[in-house]
Amino acid sequence: MKIETIICDCCNEEIPKVKKKDFFGIEREYYRLGKLDYSHPFKDINCRTLGLHLCERCAGDISLQMHEARTKLLLGQVVEWIENTRYTPVILMELSAKAYSLA
């Protein structure tokens, strides 16, 4: 019998096992490994295929940091675009309202 433990690469804690029944009713043990979620098209990235072992908590924290960085980047680009245009935010809101009413 092989005893194996997997340690999270971020927090150095042991990743717990969980018992689940498969399709045939056989109870098997699985590790509760975390998956990264960065939005489309990078949904449910399995880190084990990349050689990383992450627990669910660390994978959730990394996914949240990736979403925050992406949001800051997108908001920074929108603010920069508004500053570089000759339109005021009020005119931009009116233009977008007209565009939605035409759609």
Side-chain angles (χ1 to χ4, degrees):
M1 183 168 126
K2 184 177 180 183
I3 298 174
E4 180 179 323
T5 58
I6 297 179
I7 306 295
C8 178
D9 292 335
C10 283
C11 64
N12 293 325
E13 292 183 12
E14 185 177 338
I15 297 175
K17 286 185 180 179
V18 66
K19 292 184 179 184
K20 291 184 183 179
K21 287 188 177 182
D22 64 1
F23 181 73
F24 300 108
I26 301 170
E27 195 170 88
R28 299 180 188 265
E29 287 187 344
Y30 297 97
Y31 286 100
R32 292 186 64 171
L33 293 169
K35 293 183 178 182
L36 296 177
D37 179 19
Y38 184 61
S39 184
H40 181 74
F42 303 108
K43 284 257 186 213
D44 293 334
I45 300 170
N46 189 355
C47 298
R48 194 165 189 186
T49 58
L50 302 173
L52 293 172
H53 300 106
L54 297 175
C55 64
E56 291 176 333
R57 185 180 64 232
C58 292
D61 291 343
I62 292 171
S63 296
L64 181 64
Q65 290 174 4
M66 290 190 315
H67 277 289
E68 287 175 351
R70 179 177 182 227
T71 304
K72 286 180 185 177
L73 185 78
L74 291 174
L75 288 177
Q77 288 178 352
V78 169
V79 169
E80 182 181 325
W81 179 77
I82 289 173
E83 289 173 351
N84 292 335
T85 60
R86 59 189 172 99
Y87 300 113
T88 62
V90 175
I91 294 173
L92 291 174
M93 289 172 48
E94 291 173 1
L95 290 174
S96 63
K98 289 179 183 177
Y100 283 121
S101 66
L102 294 175

